[in-house]
């Protein structure tokens, strides 16, 4: 297989619905439920995976140890070479565990299931209490939406099975698929080597992003602001803080005790509102010293939620508290006293969409306020099947290992698959569903290596293996796409294929009319266009929103870690990269090449390079001149024919990471080293100087292209701006003459003469530039005023 083919999409042809020939509650025998045949399930985008589930509920009447006069019981569930244990409970003769164990069909090594109850001994061997044995021939099958299997009490028997012992245990044992409700919380035999706190980090979970609001703080004025030093007027400004976000107003220029600012400060706040709005009025006593004159801490629940573009929100006065020092009985104490008050207009903006991801890869565009949401137009279903050929990401017991899991993000919903321990070709076969509110959105799916299986590795970071983006508008509705996507990672050593991710994707349309309606409307809510933020504000607010989302998801159990959230949200997409700049530069040149190619084709026609084509263009010109009402219909007919012709070459697969488009195949090693450098740089001065010179050369090329485009536009503007009085006078004179000629002469005659003149044979044309071209090139532009 060639290098390029290895980075393309592949169709793995997964066998959906593979399962066991069980009809519902019967047994069927060991050989029956270990063999395979078609089986219907609601999980129709993934391969069926079957598990033996054991739910350990509780026990009662357990005997006490005659030596310790107590019982510290725990349960051990054993199937062949695999066994899982519950936590032991101190001094409990009637313990309750409520724990589920799942044994994979692929790792079944026995026809019997044994459940042991043991007494934890602090010294020596654990004491045997009793056991229950199940024959897998008799285990029932449960398939959702059937109700959960009711647990039953089982009498404990001794080790040899000859007699009954005191005590009973409540169990439920059944065969089910990954669609079972017990699947996410179960202990899995696939991860039998994981113990302790690491068990929680391997479970599949669904997360929801916190509800984000823009907090608009309009600082109007303050009253009775007195400086600490008498005899001077304060140079007052307001400092506002919400969590880690800190913004300041400008210093009031007026010399007054009642300063006026009337400035807007914008923050990002997340429900539930945990951090208050902290305002301090400060006095700039010197360039390096600010004195606090007053302070107010306001909970965000005080403020109104604005759901439209109303220009005004009710303003309010808030008292400021000032902290000074007083002396009482020889001791210094903090004294709380009234200082002044501040006038604010504060609201929580619900009509904006809080951007926590790049608009290029946006997955949600709804405003914050739920009342403004439109009904969904479709359903997105994604089956995360598995991965193949993953590379070892770390060393474990002297060997390379990978403990992979997937994270998918669309809208406010994040999903995380379970971690498959020690597998380079893991199989997840988990299916998830999202509501779609706009087809021009993107779902992002990332694969990561779990570095927290030990439970105590707080300093470790989950390593990114690769990422896939799928734009929903590129998908046909009601079609299942099953492909293997290359997982491409750019490393300091160069671009590298980390493996392949197998996905099944289906986009179902609920309302075709609503979907078509959306194509004529802006992507973001109208508040972004009625009252837009500046570019700098958006960059800062997006960074704050990403930080809040990462912090909140990191507090879940298991946590969705900061490095994972930042990778999924492309937190470093704004950082400089020589490779990315080159790629964008050549994207611009590729677009301009189309226009250049069109002019080149017309030049070939004018110079009679292909006489047949030129004659046909003459005939088309005569036809359009004779019937001018056909000009616009011909243009649109031509475009429709081109579109129908290109239908044969339409994309058949979803887009994927393109290493050639990203200029990752031929990137220079030093450019990669620069891309992975820290910010600010940690490289020696001579290397930084070389990179700076290279940066200047690339930026110069981009600057030249953009400058040339701006120059042509400014020359057009200067035709009538009298920047060159003689040129403007000549153009006005020409325009008057042209208007007179066009008024007298029929339009058809003028158009025919112009067309024939443009298409005249090369022997009738001069090699020198034309007069209009010379005139246009002599027009002034703003470049004359640039330093």
């Amino acid at each position: 297989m060639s290098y390029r083919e290895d980075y393309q999409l592949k169709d793995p042809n997964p066998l959906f619905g593979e399962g066991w020939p069980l009809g519902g509650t019967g047994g069927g025998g060991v050989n029956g439920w270990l063999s395979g045949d078609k089986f219907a399930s609601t999980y129709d985008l993934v391969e069926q995976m079957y598990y033996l589930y054991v739910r350990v509920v509780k026990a009662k009447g357990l005997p006490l140890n005659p030596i310790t006069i107590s019982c510290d019981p725990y349960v051990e569930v054993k199937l062949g070479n695999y066994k899982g244990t519950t936590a032991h409970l101190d001094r409990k003769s009637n313990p309750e565990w409520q724990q589920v164990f799942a044994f994979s069909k692929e790792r079944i090594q026995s026809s019997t299931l044994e459940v042991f109850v043991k007494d934890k001994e602090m010294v020596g061997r654990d004491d045997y209490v009793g056991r229950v044995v199940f024959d897998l021939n008799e285990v029932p099958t449960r398939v959702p939406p059937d109700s959960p299997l009711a647990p039953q009490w089982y009498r404990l028997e001794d080790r040899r099975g000859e007699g009954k012992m005191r005590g009973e245990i409540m169990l439920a044992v059944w065969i089910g698929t990954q669609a079972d409700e017990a699947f996410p919380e179960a202990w899995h035999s696939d991860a039998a080597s994981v113990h302790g706190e690491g068990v929680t980090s391997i479970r599949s979970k669904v997360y929801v992003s916190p509800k984000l609001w823009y907090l608009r703080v309009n600082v109007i004025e303050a009253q009775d602001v007195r400086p600490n030093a008498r005899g001077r007027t304060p140079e007052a400004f307001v400092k506002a803080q919400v969590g880690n976000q800190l913004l300041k107003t400008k210093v009031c220029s007026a010399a007054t005790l009642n300063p006026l600012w009337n400035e807007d400060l914008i923050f990002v706040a997340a429900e539930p509102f945990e951090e208050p709005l902290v305002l301090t009025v400060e006095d700039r006593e010197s360039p390096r010293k600010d004195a606090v004159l007053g302070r107010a801490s306001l909970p965000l629940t005080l403020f109104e939620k604005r759901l439209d573009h109303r220009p005004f929100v009710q303003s309010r006065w808030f008292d400021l508290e000032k902290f000074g020092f007083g002396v009482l009985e020889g001791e210094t104490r903090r004294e709380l006293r009234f200082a002044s008050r501040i006038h604010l207009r504060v609201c929580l903006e619900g009509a904006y969409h809080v951007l926590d991801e790049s608009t290029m890869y946006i997955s949600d565009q709804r405003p914050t306020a739920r009342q403004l949401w439109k009904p969904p137009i479709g359903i997105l279903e994604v089956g995360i099947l598995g991965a193949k050929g993953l590379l070892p990401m770390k060393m474990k017991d002297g060997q390379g290992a990978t403990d992979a899991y997937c994270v998918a993000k669309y809208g406010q919903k994040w999903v995380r698959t379970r971690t498959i321990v020690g597998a380079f070709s893991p199989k997840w076969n988990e299916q998830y569903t999202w509501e779609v509110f706009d087809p021009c959105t993107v779902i992002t799916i990332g694969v990561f290596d779990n570095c927290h299986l030990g439970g105590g590795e707080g300093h470790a970071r989950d390593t990114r293996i690769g990422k896939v983006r799928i734009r929903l508008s590129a998908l046909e509705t009601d079609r299942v796409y099953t492909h293997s996507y290359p997982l491409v990672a750019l490393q300091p050593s160069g671009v590298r294929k980390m493996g392949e991710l197998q996905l099944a994707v289906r986009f179902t349309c609920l309302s075709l009319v609503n979907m078509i309606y959306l194509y004529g409307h802006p992507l973001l809510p109208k508040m972004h266009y009625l009252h837009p933020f500046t570019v700098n504000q958006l960059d800062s607010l997006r960074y704050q929103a990403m930080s809040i989302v990462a912090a909140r998801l990191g507090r879940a159990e298991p946590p969705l870690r900061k490095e994972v959230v930042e990778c999924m949200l492309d937190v470093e997409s704004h950082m400089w990269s020589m490779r990315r700049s080159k790629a964008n530069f050549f994207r611009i040149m590729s677009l301009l090449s189309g226009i250049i190619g069109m002019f080149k084709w017309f030049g070939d026609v004018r110079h009679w390079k292909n006489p047949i084509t030129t004659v046909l263009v003459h005939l088309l010109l005569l036809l359009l001149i004779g019937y001018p009402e056909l000009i616009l219909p011909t243009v649109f007919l031509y475009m429709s024919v081109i579109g129908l012709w290109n239908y044969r070459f339409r994309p058949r697969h979803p887009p994927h990471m393109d290493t050639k488009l990203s200029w990752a195949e031929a990137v220079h090693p030093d450019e990669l080293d620069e891309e992975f450098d820290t910010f600010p740089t940690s490289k020696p001065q001579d290397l930084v100087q070389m990179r700076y010179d290279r940066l200047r050369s690339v930026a110069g090329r981009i600057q030249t292209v953009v400058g040339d485009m701006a120059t042509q536009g400014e020359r057009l503007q200067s035709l009538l701006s009298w920047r060159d009085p003689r040129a403007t006078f000549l153009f006005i004179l020409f325009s008057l003459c042209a208007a007179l000629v066009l008024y007298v002469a029929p339009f058809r005659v003028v158009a025919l003469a112009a067309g024939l003149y443009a298409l005249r044979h090369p022997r009738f044309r001069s090699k020198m530039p034309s007069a209009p071209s010379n005139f246009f090139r002599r027009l002034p532009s703003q470049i004359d005023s640039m330093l």
Side-chain angles (χ1 to χ4, degrees), residues 582-600:
K582 281 185 177 179
N584 290 333
F585 173 76
F586 284 103
R587 287 171 61 195
I588 295 176
M589 297 306 298
S590 176
L591 293 175
L592 295 178
S593 65
I595 301 175
I596 296 172
M598 183 178 65
F599 281 104
K600 183 179 179 181

Tab-separated table of all heavy atoms in Angstrom, residues 582-600:
chain	number	residue	atom	x	y	z
A	582	LYS	N	1.986	28.352	5.779
A	582	LYS	CA	2.226	27.944	4.401
A	582	LYS	C	0.980	27.324	3.785
A	582	LYS	O	0.620	27.631	2.633
A	582	LYS	CB	3.372	26.926	4.355
A	582	LYS	CG	4.764	27.512	4.442
A	582	LYS	CD	5.790	26.403	4.263
A	582	LYS	CE	7.211	26.958	4.274
A	582	LYS	NZ	8.203	25.868	4.114
A	583	ALA	N	0.320	26.468	4.550
A	583	ALA	CA	-0.880	25.812	4.032
A	583	ALA	C	-1.946	26.842	3.681
A	583	ALA	O	-2.581	26.770	2.625
A	583	ALA	CB	-1.405	24.806	5.056
A	584	ASN	N	-2.169	27.823	4.564
A	584	ASN	CA	-3.170	28.849	4.286
A	584	ASN	C	-2.772	29.725	3.105
A	584	ASN	O	-3.627	30.139	2.310
A	584	ASN	CB	-3.395	29.705	5.531
A	584	ASN	CG	-4.113	28.945	6.631
A	584	ASN	OD1	-4.861	28.011	6.357
A	584	ASN	ND2	-3.890	29.341	7.866
A	585	PHE	N	-1.457	30.011	2.989
A	585	PHE	CA	-0.991	30.819	1.858
A	585	PHE	C	-1.277	30.114	0.538
A	585	PHE	O	-1.780	30.723	-0.419
A	585	PHE	CB	0.501	31.103	2.005
A	585	PHE	CG	1.104	31.778	0.812
A	585	PHE	CD1	0.890	33.124	0.588
A	585	PHE	CD2	1.879	31.057	-0.086
A	585	PHE	CE1	1.446	33.757	-0.518
A	585	PHE	CE2	2.431	31.678	-1.184
A	585	PHE	CZ	2.215	33.028	-1.407
A	586	PHE	N	-0.998	28.825	0.479
A	586	PHE	CA	-1.243	28.108	-0.766
A	586	PHE	C	-2.732	27.864	-1.001
A	586	PHE	O	-3.152	27.665	-2.148
A	586	PHE	CB	-0.457	26.792	-0.773
A	586	PHE	CG	1.008	26.987	-1.032
A	586	PHE	CD1	1.924	26.915	0.000
A	586	PHE	CD2	1.467	27.268	-2.303
A	586	PHE	CE1	3.278	27.107	-0.220
A	586	PHE	CE2	2.821	27.459	-2.544
A	586	PHE	CZ	3.725	27.385	-1.506
A	587	ARG	N	-3.538	27.894	0.065
A	587	ARG	CA	-4.985	27.859	-0.148
A	587	ARG	C	-5.444	29.133	-0.847
A	587	ARG	O	-6.292	29.088	-1.754
A	587	ARG	CB	-5.699	27.713	1.200
A	587	ARG	CG	-5.582	26.322	1.818
A	587	ARG	CD	-6.115	26.313	3.230
A	587	ARG	NE	-7.523	26.679	3.273
A	587	ARG	CZ	-8.170	27.022	4.389
A	587	ARG	NH1	-7.515	27.059	5.533
A	587	ARG	NH2	-9.441	27.330	4.349
A	588	ILE	N	-4.886	30.282	-0.437
A	588	ILE	CA	-5.215	31.544	-1.105
A	588	ILE	C	-4.778	31.498	-2.566
A	588	ILE	O	-5.527	31.873	-3.484
A	588	ILE	CB	-4.550	32.725	-0.373
A	588	ILE	CG1	-5.131	32.887	1.032
A	588	ILE	CG2	-4.722	34.016	-1.166
A	588	ILE	CD1	-4.455	33.962	1.860
A	589	MET	N	-3.558	31.009	-2.803
A	589	MET	CA	-3.058	30.944	-4.170
A	589	MET	C	-3.888	29.986	-5.020
A	589	MET	O	-4.086	30.218	-6.224
A	589	MET	CB	-1.589	30.506	-4.163
A	589	MET	CG	-0.653	31.484	-3.452
A	589	MET	SD	-0.779	33.165	-4.090
A	589	MET	CE	-0.263	32.917	-5.790
A	590	SER	N	-4.394	28.913	-4.407
A	590	SER	CA	-5.228	27.974	-5.147
A	590	SER	C	-6.537	28.631	-5.580
A	590	SER	O	-7.021	28.401	-6.694
A	590	SER	CB	-5.516	26.739	-4.285
A	590	SER	OG	-6.388	25.851	-4.941
A	591	LEU	N	-7.100	29.463	-4.690
A	591	LEU	CA	-8.321	30.171	-5.058
A	591	LEU	C	-8.051	31.184	-6.168
A	591	LEU	O	-8.833	31.306	-7.118
A	591	LEU	CB	-8.904	30.881	-3.829
A	591	LEU	CG	-9.432	29.972	-2.716
A	591	LEU	CD1	-9.864	30.812	-1.525
A	591	LEU	CD2	-10.602	29.138	-3.221
A	592	LEU	N	-6.951	31.918	-6.053
A	592	LEU	CA	-6.630	32.905	-7.081
A	592	LEU	C	-6.278	32.241	-8.408
A	592	LEU	O	-6.473	32.834	-9.470
A	592	LEU	CB	-5.465	33.781	-6.616
A	592	LEU	CG	-5.733	34.667	-5.392
A	592	LEU	CD1	-4.481	35.444	-5.022
A	592	LEU	CD2	-6.889	35.627	-5.657
A	593	SER	N	-5.763	31.007	-8.332
A	593	SER	CA	-5.386	30.327	-9.572
A	593	SER	C	-6.599	30.054	-10.444
A	593	SER	O	-6.491	29.997	-11.675
A	593	SER	CB	-4.660	29.021	-9.258
A	593	SER	OG	-5.534	28.105	-8.607
A	594	GLY	N	-7.778	29.883	-9.838
A	594	GLY	CA	-8.990	29.687	-10.628
A	594	GLY	C	-9.336	30.910	-11.441
A	594	GLY	O	-9.689	30.818	-12.631
A	595	ILE	N	-9.223	32.089	-10.813
A	595	ILE	CA	-9.489	33.336	-11.533
A	595	ILE	C	-8.431	33.560	-12.608
A	595	ILE	O	-8.736	33.938	-13.749
A	595	ILE	CB	-9.525	34.511	-10.543
A	595	ILE	CG1	-10.606	34.275	-9.487
A	595	ILE	CG2	-9.761	35.821	-11.263
A	595	ILE	CD1	-10.629	35.321	-8.397
A	596	ILE	N	-7.183	33.289	-12.236
A	596	ILE	CA	-6.099	33.447	-13.210
A	596	ILE	C	-6.292	32.489	-14.387
A	596	ILE	O	-6.074	32.847	-15.551
A	596	ILE	CB	-4.739	33.214	-12.525
A	596	ILE	CG1	-4.502	34.287	-11.449
A	596	ILE	CG2	-3.609	33.206	-13.538
A	596	ILE	CD1	-3.280	34.038	-10.589
A	597	GLY	N	-6.724	31.252	-14.085
A	597	GLY	CA	-6.961	30.284	-15.152
A	597	GLY	C	-8.072	30.712	-16.092
A	597	GLY	O	-8.004	30.483	-17.316
A	598	MET	N	-9.102	31.377	-15.550
A	598	MET	CA	-10.193	31.853	-16.396
A	598	MET	C	-9.702	32.938	-17.353
A	598	MET	O	-10.016	32.927	-18.545
A	598	MET	CB	-11.328	32.385	-15.521
A	598	MET	CG	-12.547	32.844	-16.295
A	598	MET	SD	-13.859	33.417	-15.202
A	598	MET	CE	-13.051	34.847	-14.467
A	599	PHE	N	-8.903	33.861	-16.832
A	599	PHE	CA	-8.358	34.901	-17.700
A	599	PHE	C	-7.379	34.315	-18.721
A	599	PHE	O	-7.295	34.788	-19.862
A	599	PHE	CB	-7.675	35.980	-16.860
A	599	PHE	CG	-8.635	36.957	-16.238
A	599	PHE	CD1	-8.946	36.876	-14.895
A	599	PHE	CD2	-9.233	37.948	-17.003
A	599	PHE	CE1	-9.830	37.774	-14.318
A	599	PHE	CE2	-10.122	38.854	-16.431
A	599	PHE	CZ	-10.429	38.761	-15.082
A	600	LYS	N	-6.634	33.301	-18.314
A	600	LYS	CA	-5.707	32.668	-19.248
A	600	LYS	C	-6.462	31.991	-20.387
A	600	LYS	O	-6.056	32.068	-21.555
A	600	LYS	CB	-4.837	31.654	-18.505
A	600	LYS	CG	-3.794	30.979	-19.375
A	600	LYS	CD	-2.952	29.992	-18.577
A	600	LYS	CE	-1.931	29.304	-19.467
A	600	LYS	NZ	-1.116	28.312	-18.710
